[in-house]
Each structure stands twice: as structure tokens, then as C-alpha cells.
Amino acid sequence: MIELKNITKQYESKKRNVLAVNQVDFKVYKGEIFGMVGYSGAGKSTLLRLLNGLEKPTSGEILVNRQPVAELKGKMLRNFRQEVGMIFQHFNLLWSRTVLENIMLPMELVKIPKAEREARALELVELVGLTGREHAYPSELSGGQKQRVGIARALANNPKILLCDEATSALDPQTTDEVLDLLKKVNKELGITIVLITHEMHVIRKICDKVAVMENGKIVETGSVIEVFSHP
Ligand code: ADP
Ligand code: ADP
């Protein structure tokens, strides 16, 4: 479903060049939960931005659903963005809009009719366990509830892949586990492939099937979570 072939990303600035991602290869298969773990600065966010086409690699090829992400433009790129949902550490909700309005936003952008948007948003509210909070504003919600809205919004246009950028790093341990359980449910029940980045081993152990450990732009270890963590 996702294939990275010898990906390198170098940021160039006047002061210095940074090799954020250095010759990375991996594959993520349909239905997997794939985690990338590593310290701050390891290159995890850069990889995520490469996967959704927000950045272009300096060299190498990225295929998502058989499409070469770096070459997509215009309408193709807009269609591609709908196949990939994303959630964030700080939720990135619109504070002046209600739960339901936040969830409907991606559907508005692709001009789904209002009645259909509402019906779909209400289904998603139920899926993420926020029934009764449809008309609340983000400021009235707990962190875990805000992330549930983030997840519902990411699913609005029926993506095949969900990218999670430190999605539980702003949450307490119990709320983290609840959000991880929801991600697992989304993976199992909707068959959505999940790629997540985190600096927390707990997140990897709790929900990931595969893991890539990153250091200084390189993958230093990769495999199933059981394999990687059973090393002496
Ligand atoms: P992580 O997500 O693992 O913390 P990042 O991908 O954010 O790592 O960063 C990897 C390296 O690339 C770091 O040295 C960071 O400072 C650098 N970097 C990230 N984004 C940019 C950017 N837009 N411009 C220049 N350097 C960047
Ligand atoms: P971060 O800590 O990542 O900078 P926040 O979690 O504070 O971000 O906010 C996430 C997004 O929501 C940002 O784009 C920010 O501009 C916006 N935002 C945060 N708080 C408010 C607010 N009270 N009103 C409007 N927008 C907000």
C-alpha cells in the first residue's frame, strides 16, 4: 500500500544543510498499523510529510496506492489527499466551529451536499463515541474528546490510510489508551491502514503490528513489534 524506495530528504538553508531523512526504505501493507519511533529530530515528521505529499524527497521514490506521490499535481494531488487522512498532536481543530462543523469541513471542501455531509458526520460522531457532543465547541471538550473529533474529521472523506503525528503526546496515560483503542477499532472495523509517529514506546507496544526505529534520519531497526522488542 505504501512503498518508500531509497528516500533522502535534505533541507537546504543559508546557514546549514540538514539531512533529515537518509536513504530510507520500507513498505507498509494494507491493514497494518505501522509505527515509527525515535527521539526528537530523528526525521519522523519529515517522513510523514513526504507520505502525504506536503514535502518532496530530494531523491528516491514514494508510492502510495501505486501512485508516485512526488509527481502528483492539481486534481490528482487533491484526489490523493482524500485517500490519506491525518491527525495531529494539537488536534488542529477550528475553534469557532462545533464538533459537527469541524467534522463536515473536509466534505465541504470537496462539495458534498449538505444533507449528506450531516448524515456522514453524525455517523462519525457515533463511531468515535461523541454522541451528545455534536454541538459543543472544541474549548468545551477534554483533550481526548478533541482528538476524537480529529479522528472523525480525518475519516470524513473515507480515506484508505490514516497518518498520525504524535496523536497522543498531548494526552494523559489513560486518555492515550482510550484514543489508541479507538485507532485500533478504526483499523479493524474500517480496514484503514495506519502509519503513526511517536516518541513513546508504549504507543508502539500497544497498537502497532510493525515498527521502524529511527535515528538521525535513518531506520536503524525494523520488523514486527514482537521481533524488534524481543532482541537481547
Ligand atoms: P522528528 O519528527 O523525528 O522530531 P523532524 O523530521 O521534525 O524529526 O526533523 C528531522 C531534522 O530535520 C531535524 O534536524 C530538523 O531540525 C530538520 N528539519 C525538519 N523540518 C525542517 C525544515 N522545514 N527546514 C529545515 N530543517 C528541518
Ligand atoms: P500548537 O501548540 O501546535 O502551536 P495549538 O494546539 O495551540 O497548537 O493549536 C492548534 C491549532 O489551532 C493552531 O493552528 C492554532 O492556530 C489554532 N488555535 C489554537 N487555539 C485557538 C483559539 N483559541 N482560537 C482559534 N484558533 C486556535
Side-chain angles (χ1 to χ4, degrees):
M1 176 142 251
I2 298 176
E3 184 169 8
L4 276 80
K5 297 182 192 169
N6 203 13
I7 290 297
T8 292
K9 174 70 186 179
Q10 176 160 313
Y11 291 110
E12 293 176 17
S13 71
K14 283 188 197 108
K15 290 192 201 99
R16 60 189 190 120
N17 293 340
V18 179
L19 203 50
V21 173
N22 188 358
Q23 296 180 314
V24 162
D25 285 279
F26 64 82
K27 282 187 191 174
V28 180
Y29 296 94
K30 188 168 165 24
E32 276 182 345
I33 304 186
F34 187 98
M36 293 190 274
V37 66
Y39 296 116
S40 175
K44 307 182 296 294
S45 326
T46 301
L47 268 179
L48 222 53
R49 290 197 299 269
L50 287 165
L51 284 180
N52 71 2
L54 276 176
E55 302 261 15
K56 294 201 186 307
T58 309
S59 63
E61 189 181 28
I62 304 177
L63 297 173
V64 176
N65 293 330
R66 301 203 187 90
Q67 302 169 87
V69 177
E71 288 161 32
L72 299 176
K73 289 192 190 80
K75 190 156 188 282
M76 298 281 282
L77 184 61
R78 286 197 298 278
N79 289 344
F80 169 76
R81 289 259 159 82
Q82 280 178 57
E83 293 171 23
V84 182
M86 187 144 175
I87 61 172
F88 307 90
Q89 177 172 9
H90 297 289
F91 324 118
N92 295 12
L93 303 177
L94 292 180
W95 293 67
S96 58
R97 297 208 182 192
T98 64
V99 166
L100 212 56
E101 288 165 351
N102 267 282
I103 299 171
M104 288 192 293
L105 191 68
M107 295 185 265
E108 224 172 294
L109 296 177
V110 296
K111 305 195 166 59
I112 308 254
K114 185 145 194 274
E116 200 179 316
R117 287 205 298 268
E118 268 182 16
R120 169 95 182 123
L122 286 169
E123 270 175 39
L124 288 164
V125 162
E126 193 181 340
L127 176 84
V128 301
L130 284 177
T131 302
R133 305 298 280 147
E134 295 84 352
H135 303 295
Y137 287 90
S139 59
E140 301 169 310
L141 302 177
S142 69
Q145 290 174 325
K146 286 188 191 111
Q147 195 57 290
R148 288 171 188 273
V149 179
I151 292 169
R153 182 186 54 187
L155 298 176
N157 287 328
N158 292 308
K160 298 187 177 74
I161 297 170
L162 180 62
L163 304 178
C164 311
D165 185 354
E166 297 280 1
T168 55
S169 300
L171 306 175
D172 64 55
Q174 193 195 326
T175 311
T176 291
D177 280 350
E178 289 167 9
V179 168
L180 293 177
D181 286 338
L182 174 59
L183 289 175
K184 189 93 198 171
K185 173 173 145 179
V186 162
N187 167 256
K188 284 271 166 297
E189 290 181 12
L190 308 180
I192 293 182
T193 305
I194 297 182
V195 178
L196 63 85
I197 65 174
T198 181
H199 62 277
E200 296 172 302
M201 238 13 140
H202 168 73
V203 171
I204 302 284
R205 286 178 189 275
K206 187 165 160 83
I207 64 162
C208 293
D209 305 306
K210 300 266 187 69
V211 60
V213 182
M214 289 198 70
E215 262 173 41
N216 292 321
K218 280 199 173 287
I219 292 182
V220 292
E221 202 158 0
T222 186
S224 74
V225 169
I226 297 164
E227 267 166 32
V228 169
F229 289 129
S230 65
H231 272 209

PDB file of all heavy atoms in Angstrom, residues 25-62:
ATOM      1  N   ASP A  25      14.172   2.997   3.320  1.00  0.00           N
ATOM      2  CA  ASP A  25      13.344   2.064   2.549  1.00  0.00           C
ATOM      3  C   ASP A  25      12.374   1.395   3.503  1.00  0.00           C
ATOM      4  O   ASP A  25      12.808   0.925   4.548  1.00  0.00           O
ATOM      5  CB  ASP A  25      14.203   0.910   1.993  1.00  0.00           C
ATOM      6  CG  ASP A  25      15.053   1.334   0.835  1.00  0.00           C
ATOM      7  OD1 ASP A  25      14.513   1.396  -0.273  1.00  0.00           O
ATOM      8  OD2 ASP A  25      16.263   1.584   1.055  1.00  0.00           O
ATOM      9  N   PHE A  26      11.119   1.360   3.170  1.00  0.00           N
ATOM     10  CA  PHE A  26      10.217   0.434   3.863  1.00  0.00           C
ATOM     11  C   PHE A  26       8.911   0.283   3.103  1.00  0.00           C
ATOM     12  O   PHE A  26       8.617   1.053   2.188  1.00  0.00           O
ATOM     13  CB  PHE A  26       9.977   0.815   5.333  1.00  0.00           C
ATOM     14  CG  PHE A  26       9.272   2.119   5.577  1.00  0.00           C
ATOM     15  CD1 PHE A  26       7.896   2.217   5.511  1.00  0.00           C
ATOM     16  CD2 PHE A  26      10.006   3.258   5.917  1.00  0.00           C
ATOM     17  CE1 PHE A  26       7.252   3.410   5.775  1.00  0.00           C
ATOM     18  CE2 PHE A  26       9.364   4.462   6.175  1.00  0.00           C
ATOM     19  CZ  PHE A  26       7.987   4.543   6.099  1.00  0.00           C
ATOM     20  N   LYS A  27       8.160  -0.740   3.502  1.00  0.00           N
ATOM     21  CA  LYS A  27       6.842  -0.984   2.909  1.00  0.00           C
ATOM     22  C   LYS A  27       5.833  -1.102   4.027  1.00  0.00           C
ATOM     23  O   LYS A  27       6.133  -1.680   5.070  1.00  0.00           O
ATOM     24  CB  LYS A  27       6.833  -2.322   2.158  1.00  0.00           C
ATOM     25  CG  LYS A  27       7.481  -2.277   0.809  1.00  0.00           C
ATOM     26  CD  LYS A  27       7.255  -3.602   0.094  1.00  0.00           C
ATOM     27  CE  LYS A  27       8.128  -3.668  -1.155  1.00  0.00           C
ATOM     28  NZ  LYS A  27       8.059  -4.965  -1.819  1.00  0.00           N
ATOM     29  N   VAL A  28       4.650  -0.580   3.788  1.00  0.00           N
ATOM     30  CA  VAL A  28       3.546  -0.777   4.716  1.00  0.00           C
ATOM     31  C   VAL A  28       2.451  -1.491   3.936  1.00  0.00           C
ATOM     32  O   VAL A  28       2.061  -1.043   2.853  1.00  0.00           O
ATOM     33  CB  VAL A  28       3.011   0.568   5.256  1.00  0.00           C
ATOM     34  CG1 VAL A  28       1.860   0.333   6.224  1.00  0.00           C
ATOM     35  CG2 VAL A  28       4.130   1.373   5.937  1.00  0.00           C
ATOM     36  N   TYR A  29       1.989  -2.621   4.465  1.00  0.00           N
ATOM     37  CA  TYR A  29       0.967  -3.399   3.770  1.00  0.00           C
ATOM     38  C   TYR A  29      -0.430  -3.001   4.232  1.00  0.00           C
ATOM     39  O   TYR A  29      -0.604  -2.493   5.342  1.00  0.00           O
ATOM     40  CB  TYR A  29       1.213  -4.895   4.000  1.00  0.00           C
ATOM     41  CG  TYR A  29       2.521  -5.348   3.402  1.00  0.00           C
ATOM     42  CD1 TYR A  29       3.684  -5.388   4.177  1.00  0.00           C
ATOM     43  CD2 TYR A  29       2.594  -5.675   2.052  1.00  0.00           C
ATOM     44  CE1 TYR A  29       4.892  -5.772   3.618  1.00  0.00           C
ATOM     45  CE2 TYR A  29       3.801  -6.063   1.485  1.00  0.00           C
ATOM     46  CZ  TYR A  29       4.956  -6.104   2.272  1.00  0.00           C
ATOM     47  OH  TYR A  29       6.146  -6.472   1.716  1.00  0.00           O
ATOM     48  N   LYS A  30      -1.385  -3.275   3.336  1.00  0.00           N
ATOM     49  CA  LYS A  30      -2.781  -2.925   3.626  1.00  0.00           C
ATOM     50  C   LYS A  30      -3.223  -3.527   4.965  1.00  0.00           C
ATOM     51  O   LYS A  30      -2.951  -4.687   5.242  1.00  0.00           O
ATOM     52  CB  LYS A  30      -3.650  -3.479   2.496  1.00  0.00           C
ATOM     53  CG  LYS A  30      -5.088  -3.045   2.532  1.00  0.00           C
ATOM     54  CD  LYS A  30      -5.743  -3.412   1.198  1.00  0.00           C
ATOM     55  CE  LYS A  30      -7.251  -3.359   1.213  1.00  0.00           C
ATOM     56  NZ  LYS A  30      -7.914  -2.535   2.155  1.00  0.00           N
ATOM     57  N   GLY A  31      -3.876  -2.702   5.772  1.00  0.00           N
ATOM     58  CA  GLY A  31      -4.441  -3.179   7.036  1.00  0.00           C
ATOM     59  C   GLY A  31      -3.483  -3.153   8.213  1.00  0.00           C
ATOM     60  O   GLY A  31      -3.878  -3.447   9.342  1.00  0.00           O
ATOM     61  N   GLU A  32      -2.226  -2.797   7.964  1.00  0.00           N
ATOM     62  CA  GLU A  32      -1.262  -2.759   9.065  1.00  0.00           C
ATOM     63  C   GLU A  32      -1.361  -1.472   9.886  1.00  0.00           C
ATOM     64  O   GLU A  32      -1.799  -0.437   9.385  1.00  0.00           O
ATOM     65  CB  GLU A  32       0.173  -2.796   8.502  1.00  0.00           C
ATOM     66  CG  GLU A  32       0.661  -4.187   8.210  1.00  0.00           C
ATOM     67  CD  GLU A  32       2.109  -4.220   7.708  1.00  0.00           C
ATOM     68  OE1 GLU A  32       2.670  -3.177   7.303  1.00  0.00           O
ATOM     69  OE2 GLU A  32       2.659  -5.312   7.706  1.00  0.00           O
ATOM     70  N   ILE A  33      -0.885  -1.576  11.125  1.00  0.00           N
ATOM     71  CA  ILE A  33      -0.587  -0.371  11.909  1.00  0.00           C
ATOM     72  C   ILE A  33       0.938  -0.324  12.025  1.00  0.00           C
ATOM     73  O   ILE A  33       1.553  -1.204  12.632  1.00  0.00           O
ATOM     74  CB  ILE A  33      -1.247  -0.385  13.298  1.00  0.00           C
ATOM     75  CG1 ILE A  33      -2.768  -0.574  13.179  1.00  0.00           C
ATOM     76  CG2 ILE A  33      -0.913   0.910  14.044  1.00  0.00           C
ATOM     77  CD1 ILE A  33      -3.531  -0.462  14.498  1.00  0.00           C
ATOM     78  N   PHE A  34       1.506   0.671  11.376  1.00  0.00           N
ATOM     79  CA  PHE A  34       2.964   0.772  11.258  1.00  0.00           C
ATOM     80  C   PHE A  34       3.435   1.977  12.077  1.00  0.00           C
ATOM     81  O   PHE A  34       2.974   3.094  11.849  1.00  0.00           O
ATOM     82  CB  PHE A  34       3.324   0.957   9.783  1.00  0.00           C
ATOM     83  CG  PHE A  34       4.799   0.905   9.481  1.00  0.00           C
ATOM     84  CD1 PHE A  34       5.389  -0.269   9.018  1.00  0.00           C
ATOM     85  CD2 PHE A  34       5.592   2.030   9.668  1.00  0.00           C
ATOM     86  CE1 PHE A  34       6.751  -0.315   8.727  1.00  0.00           C
ATOM     87  CE2 PHE A  34       6.960   1.985   9.382  1.00  0.00           C
ATOM     88  CZ  PHE A  34       7.539   0.806   8.907  1.00  0.00           C
ATOM     89  N   GLY A  35       4.313   1.740  13.028  1.00  0.00           N
ATOM     90  CA  GLY A  35       4.782   2.833  13.886  1.00  0.00           C
ATOM     91  C   GLY A  35       6.217   3.216  13.591  1.00  0.00           C
ATOM     92  O   GLY A  35       7.052   2.352  13.328  1.00  0.00           O
ATOM     93  N   MET A  36       6.486   4.510  13.619  1.00  0.00           N
ATOM     94  CA  MET A  36       7.877   4.980  13.536  1.00  0.00           C
ATOM     95  C   MET A  36       8.189   5.658  14.855  1.00  0.00           C
ATOM     96  O   MET A  36       7.474   6.572  15.280  1.00  0.00           O
ATOM     97  CB  MET A  36       8.031   5.960  12.381  1.00  0.00           C
ATOM     98  CG  MET A  36       7.838   5.281  11.043  1.00  0.00           C
ATOM     99  SD  MET A  36       8.296   6.341   9.672  1.00  0.00           S
ATOM    100  CE  MET A  36       6.782   7.230   9.436  1.00  0.00           C
ATOM    101  N   VAL A  37       9.254   5.183  15.488  1.00  0.00           N
ATOM    102  CA  VAL A  37       9.592   5.710  16.807  1.00  0.00           C
ATOM    103  C   VAL A  37      11.012   6.255  16.775  1.00  0.00           C
ATOM    104  O   VAL A  37      11.845   5.773  15.995  1.00  0.00           O
ATOM    105  CB  VAL A  37       9.405   4.595  17.888  1.00  0.00           C
ATOM    106  CG1 VAL A  37      10.388   3.454  17.699  1.00  0.00           C
ATOM    107  CG2 VAL A  37       9.471   5.161  19.300  1.00  0.00           C
ATOM    108  N   GLY A  38      11.268   7.264  17.584  1.00  0.00           N
ATOM    109  CA  GLY A  38      12.618   7.815  17.647  1.00  0.00           C
ATOM    110  C   GLY A  38      12.582   9.123  18.401  1.00  0.00           C
ATOM    111  O   GLY A  38      11.521   9.688  18.624  1.00  0.00           O
ATOM    112  N   TYR A  39      13.779   9.579  18.777  1.00  0.00           N
ATOM    113  CA  TYR A  39      13.859  10.825  19.530  1.00  0.00           C
ATOM    114  C   TYR A  39      13.515  12.005  18.634  1.00  0.00           C
ATOM    115  O   TYR A  39      13.490  11.883  17.403  1.00  0.00           O
ATOM    116  CB  TYR A  39      15.255  11.005  20.115  1.00  0.00           C
ATOM    117  CG  TYR A  39      15.609   9.946  21.126  1.00  0.00           C
ATOM    118  CD1 TYR A  39      16.651   9.053  20.893  1.00  0.00           C
ATOM    119  CD2 TYR A  39      14.882   9.832  22.303  1.00  0.00           C
ATOM    120  CE1 TYR A  39      16.965   8.065  21.823  1.00  0.00           C
ATOM    121  CE2 TYR A  39      15.180   8.853  23.235  1.00  0.00           C
ATOM    122  CZ  TYR A  39      16.220   7.971  22.993  1.00  0.00           C
ATOM    123  OH  TYR A  39      16.510   7.002  23.903  1.00  0.00           O
ATOM    124  N   SER A  40      13.321  13.148  19.266  1.00  0.00           N
ATOM    125  CA  SER A  40      13.065  14.384  18.556  1.00  0.00           C
ATOM    126  C   SER A  40      14.217  14.667  17.583  1.00  0.00           C
ATOM    127  O   SER A  40      15.385  14.494  17.936  1.00  0.00           O
ATOM    128  CB  SER A  40      12.936  15.494  19.596  1.00  0.00           C
ATOM    129  OG  SER A  40      12.794  16.713  18.955  1.00  0.00           O
ATOM    130  N   GLY A  41      13.888  15.038  16.363  1.00  0.00           N
ATOM    131  CA  GLY A  41      14.917  15.330  15.367  1.00  0.00           C
ATOM    132  C   GLY A  41      15.333  14.129  14.530  1.00  0.00           C
ATOM    133  O   GLY A  41      16.164  14.241  13.633  1.00  0.00           O
ATOM    134  N   ALA A  42      14.741  12.956  14.804  1.00  0.00           N
ATOM    135  CA  ALA A  42      15.145  11.734  14.094  1.00  0.00           C
ATOM    136  C   ALA A  42      14.701  11.721  12.631  1.00  0.00           C
ATOM    137  O   ALA A  42      15.247  10.982  11.820  1.00  0.00           O
ATOM    138  CB  ALA A  42      14.602  10.506  14.820  1.00  0.00           C
ATOM    139  N   GLY A  43      13.680  12.536  12.305  1.00  0.00           N
ATOM    140  CA  GLY A  43      13.211  12.582  10.918  1.00  0.00           C
ATOM    141  C   GLY A  43      11.801  12.043  10.728  1.00  0.00           C
ATOM    142  O   GLY A  43      11.324  11.905   9.603  1.00  0.00           O
ATOM    143  N   LYS A  44      11.118  11.762  11.825  1.00  0.00           N
ATOM    144  CA  LYS A  44       9.789  11.141  11.752  1.00  0.00           C
ATOM    145  C   LYS A  44       8.762  12.036  11.071  1.00  0.00           C
ATOM    146  O   LYS A  44       8.039  11.601  10.185  1.00  0.00           O
ATOM    147  CB  LYS A  44       9.289  10.789  13.170  1.00  0.00           C
ATOM    148  CG  LYS A  44      10.262   9.948  13.988  1.00  0.00           C
ATOM    149  CD  LYS A  44       9.690   9.600  15.349  1.00  0.00           C
ATOM    150  CE  LYS A  44       9.441  10.798  16.267  1.00  0.00           C
ATOM    151  NZ  LYS A  44      10.662  11.513  16.691  1.00  0.00           N
ATOM    152  N   SER A  45       8.693  13.311  11.497  1.00  0.00           N
ATOM    153  CA  SER A  45       7.675  14.205  10.903  1.00  0.00           C
ATOM    154  C   SER A  45       7.954  14.443   9.434  1.00  0.00           C
ATOM    155  O   SER A  45       7.026  14.563   8.636  1.00  0.00           O
ATOM    156  CB  SER A  45       7.637  15.570  11.582  1.00  0.00           C
ATOM    157  OG  SER A  45       7.918  15.483  12.917  1.00  0.00           O
ATOM    158  N   THR A  46       9.220  14.527   9.104  1.00  0.00           N
ATOM    159  CA  THR A  46       9.577  14.717   7.688  1.00  0.00           C
ATOM    160  C   THR A  46       9.051  13.544   6.868  1.00  0.00           C
ATOM    161  O   THR A  46       8.453  13.741   5.806  1.00  0.00           O
ATOM    162  CB  THR A  46      11.102  14.860   7.540  1.00  0.00           C
ATOM    163  OG1 THR A  46      11.532  15.972   8.321  1.00  0.00           O
ATOM    164  CG2 THR A  46      11.497  15.064   6.088  1.00  0.00           C
ATOM    165  N   LEU A  47       9.231  12.329   7.380  1.00  0.00           N
ATOM    166  CA  LEU A  47       8.727  11.155   6.650  1.00  0.00           C
ATOM    167  C   LEU A  47       7.215  11.210   6.473  1.00  0.00           C
ATOM    168  O   LEU A  47       6.701  10.917   5.390  1.00  0.00           O
ATOM    169  CB  LEU A  47       9.101   9.870   7.398  1.00  0.00           C
ATOM    170  CG  LEU A  47      10.404   9.214   6.991  1.00  0.00           C
ATOM    171  CD1 LEU A  47      10.659   7.966   7.828  1.00  0.00           C
ATOM    172  CD2 LEU A  47      10.386   8.831   5.511  1.00  0.00           C
ATOM    173  N   LEU A  48       6.513  11.632   7.518  1.00  0.00           N
ATOM    174  CA  LEU A  48       5.058  11.724   7.427  1.00  0.00           C
ATOM    175  C   LEU A  48       4.646  12.761   6.379  1.00  0.00           C
ATOM    176  O   LEU A  48       3.723  12.542   5.603  1.00  0.00           O
ATOM    177  CB  LEU A  48       4.497  12.099   8.796  1.00  0.00           C
ATOM    178  CG  LEU A  48       3.238  11.386   9.264  1.00  0.00           C
ATOM    179  CD1 LEU A  48       3.362   9.886   9.193  1.00  0.00           C
ATOM    180  CD2 LEU A  48       2.869  11.816  10.671  1.00  0.00           C
ATOM    181  N   ARG A  49       5.358  13.900   6.353  1.00  0.00           N
ATOM    182  CA  ARG A  49       5.021  14.943   5.365  1.00  0.00           C
ATOM    183  C   ARG A  49       5.359  14.489   3.948  1.00  0.00           C
ATOM    184  O   ARG A  49       4.704  14.899   2.987  1.00  0.00           O
ATOM    185  CB  ARG A  49       5.752  16.251   5.701  1.00  0.00           C
ATOM    186  CG  ARG A  49       5.220  16.941   6.964  1.00  0.00           C
ATOM    187  CD  ARG A  49       5.660  18.399   7.025  1.00  0.00           C
ATOM    188  NE  ARG A  49       7.104  18.543   7.060  1.00  0.00           N
ATOM    189  CZ  ARG A  49       7.839  18.601   8.170  1.00  0.00           C
ATOM    190  NH1 ARG A  49       7.257  18.541   9.351  1.00  0.00           N
ATOM    191  NH2 ARG A  49       9.142  18.739   8.106  1.00  0.00           N
ATOM    192  N   LEU A  50       6.346  13.622   3.809  1.00  0.00           N
ATOM    193  CA  LEU A  50       6.660  13.064   2.490  1.00  0.00           C
ATOM    194  C   LEU A  50       5.537  12.124   2.045  1.00  0.00           C
ATOM    195  O   LEU A  50       5.167  12.085   0.872  1.00  0.00           O
ATOM    196  CB  LEU A  50       7.983  12.300   2.539  1.00  0.00           C
ATOM    197  CG  LEU A  50       9.249  13.156   2.647  1.00  0.00           C
ATOM    198  CD1 LEU A  50      10.446  12.289   3.060  1.00  0.00           C
ATOM    199  CD2 LEU A  50       9.553  13.859   1.328  1.00  0.00           C
ATOM    200  N   LEU A  51       4.979  11.384   3.020  1.00  0.00           N
ATOM    201  CA  LEU A  51       3.935  10.422   2.680  1.00  0.00           C
ATOM    202  C   LEU A  51       2.649  11.074   2.213  1.00  0.00           C
ATOM    203  O   LEU A  51       1.916  10.515   1.410  1.00  0.00           O
ATOM    204  CB  LEU A  51       3.612   9.534   3.895  1.00  0.00           C
ATOM    205  CG  LEU A  51       4.608   8.448   4.220  1.00  0.00           C
ATOM    206  CD1 LEU A  51       4.155   7.661   5.435  1.00  0.00           C
ATOM    207  CD2 LEU A  51       4.748   7.508   3.027  1.00  0.00           C
ATOM    208  N   ASN A  52       2.338  12.272   2.719  1.00  0.00           N
ATOM    209  CA  ASN A  52       1.093  12.887   2.255  1.00  0.00           C
ATOM    210  C   ASN A  52       1.328  13.969   1.213  1.00  0.00           C
ATOM    211  O   ASN A  52       0.431  14.724   0.882  1.00  0.00           O
ATOM    212  CB  ASN A  52       0.234  13.391   3.417  1.00  0.00           C
ATOM    213  CG  ASN A  52       0.810  14.605   4.094  1.00  0.00           C
ATOM    214  OD1 ASN A  52       1.839  15.120   3.688  1.00  0.00           O
ATOM    215  ND2 ASN A  52       0.147  15.071   5.121  1.00  0.00           N
ATOM    216  N   GLY A  53       2.539  14.025   0.698  1.00  0.00           N
ATOM    217  CA  GLY A  53       2.821  14.925  -0.417  1.00  0.00           C
ATOM    218  C   GLY A  53       3.063  16.373  -0.015  1.00  0.00           C
ATOM    219  O   GLY A  53       3.166  17.249  -0.874  1.00  0.00           O
ATOM    220  N   LEU A  54       3.169  16.645   1.289  1.00  0.00           N
ATOM    221  CA  LEU A  54       3.449  18.022   1.728  1.00  0.00           C
ATOM    222  C   LEU A  54       4.895  18.427   1.460  1.00  0.00           C
ATOM    223  O   LEU A  54       5.212  19.598   1.371  1.00  0.00           O
ATOM    224  CB  LEU A  54       3.181  18.174   3.230  1.00  0.00           C
ATOM    225  CG  LEU A  54       1.751  18.459   3.637  1.00  0.00           C
ATOM    226  CD1 LEU A  54       1.612  18.492   5.151  1.00  0.00           C
ATOM    227  CD2 LEU A  54       1.279  19.778   3.044  1.00  0.00           C
ATOM    228  N   GLU A  55       5.775  17.429   1.400  1.00  0.00           N
ATOM    229  CA  GLU A  55       7.174  17.678   1.049  1.00  0.00           C
ATOM    230  C   GLU A  55       7.535  16.747  -0.095  1.00  0.00           C
ATOM    231  O   GLU A  55       6.925  15.691  -0.245  1.00  0.00           O
ATOM    232  CB  GLU A  55       8.105  17.323   2.217  1.00  0.00           C
ATOM    233  CG  GLU A  55       7.825  18.043   3.489  1.00  0.00           C
ATOM    234  CD  GLU A  55       8.753  19.217   3.697  1.00  0.00           C
ATOM    235  OE1 GLU A  55       9.427  19.647   2.723  1.00  0.00           O
ATOM    236  OE2 GLU A  55       8.777  19.712   4.831  1.00  0.00           O
ATOM    237  N   LYS A  56       8.559  17.147  -0.848  1.00  0.00           N
ATOM    238  CA  LYS A  56       9.047  16.257  -1.891  1.00  0.00           C
ATOM    239  C   LYS A  56      10.425  15.734  -1.496  1.00  0.00           C
ATOM    240  O   LYS A  56      11.226  16.481  -0.951  1.00  0.00           O
ATOM    241  CB  LYS A  56       9.161  17.017  -3.216  1.00  0.00           C
ATOM    242  CG  LYS A  56       7.795  17.442  -3.712  1.00  0.00           C
ATOM    243  CD  LYS A  56       7.794  17.716  -5.204  1.00  0.00           C
ATOM    244  CE  LYS A  56       6.460  18.274  -5.655  1.00  0.00           C
ATOM    245  NZ  LYS A  56       5.298  17.440  -5.251  1.00  0.00           N
ATOM    246  N   PRO A  57      10.693  14.446  -1.783  1.00  0.00           N
ATOM    247  CA  PRO A  57      12.012  13.925  -1.436  1.00  0.00           C
ATOM    248  C   PRO A  57      13.094  14.544  -2.320  1.00  0.00           C
ATOM    249  O   PRO A  57      12.821  14.936  -3.454  1.00  0.00           O
ATOM    250  CB  PRO A  57      11.888  12.425  -1.698  1.00  0.00           C
ATOM    251  CG  PRO A  57      10.755  12.266  -2.636  1.00  0.00           C
ATOM    252  CD  PRO A  57       9.837  13.436  -2.431  1.00  0.00           C
ATOM    253  N   THR A  58      14.309  14.651  -1.786  1.00  0.00           N
ATOM    254  CA  THR A  58      15.447  15.103  -2.582  1.00  0.00           C
ATOM    255  C   THR A  58      15.799  14.021  -3.599  1.00  0.00           C
ATOM    256  O   THR A  58      16.130  14.303  -4.745  1.00  0.00           O
ATOM    257  CB  THR A  58      16.646  15.391  -1.652  1.00  0.00           C
ATOM    258  OG1 THR A  58      16.191  16.256  -0.600  1.00  0.00           O
ATOM    259  CG2 THR A  58      17.792  16.034  -2.400  1.00  0.00           C
ATOM    260  N   SER A  59      15.706  12.747  -3.166  1.00  0.00           N
ATOM    261  CA  SER A  59      15.854  11.646  -4.107  1.00  0.00           C
ATOM    262  C   SER A  59      15.098  10.434  -3.597  1.00  0.00           C
ATOM    263  O   SER A  59      14.733  10.370  -2.426  1.00  0.00           O
ATOM    264  CB  SER A  59      17.333  11.303  -4.313  1.00  0.00           C
ATOM    265  OG  SER A  59      17.885  10.864  -3.099  1.00  0.00           O
ATOM    266  N   GLY A  60      14.845   9.497  -4.506  1.00  0.00           N
ATOM    267  CA  GLY A  60      14.090   8.302  -4.151  1.00  0.00           C
ATOM    268  C   GLY A  60      12.655   8.397  -4.612  1.00  0.00           C
ATOM    269  O   GLY A  60      12.243   9.413  -5.178  1.00  0.00           O
ATOM    270  N   GLU A  61      11.912   7.309  -4.409  1.00  0.00           N
ATOM    271  CA  GLU A  61      10.536   7.256  -4.902  1.00  0.00           C
ATOM    272  C   GLU A  61       9.574   6.797  -3.805  1.00  0.00           C
ATOM    273  O   GLU A  61       9.880   5.889  -3.045  1.00  0.00           O
ATOM    274  CB  GLU A  61      10.447   6.277  -6.090  1.00  0.00           C
ATOM    275  CG  GLU A  61       9.115   6.338  -6.775  1.00  0.00           C
ATOM    276  CD  GLU A  61       8.974   5.366  -7.947  1.00  0.00           C
ATOM    277  OE1 GLU A  61       9.649   4.308  -7.935  1.00  0.00           O
ATOM    278  OE2 GLU A  61       8.178   5.650  -8.840  1.00  0.00           O
ATOM    279  N   ILE A  62       8.418   7.458  -3.745  1.00  0.00           N
ATOM    280  CA  ILE A  62       7.388   7.085  -2.775  1.00  0.00           C
ATOM    281  C   ILE A  62       6.138   6.693  -3.531  1.00  0.00           C
ATOM    282  O   ILE A  62       5.618   7.477  -4.321  1.00  0.00           O
ATOM    283  CB  ILE A  62       7.027   8.261  -1.855  1.00  0.00           C
ATOM    284  CG1 ILE A  62       8.262   8.788  -1.148  1.00  0.00           C
ATOM    285  CG2 ILE A  62       5.963   7.837  -0.838  1.00  0.00           C
ATOM    286  CD1 ILE A  62       7.986   9.991  -0.275  1.00  0.00           C
TER     287      ILE A  62
END
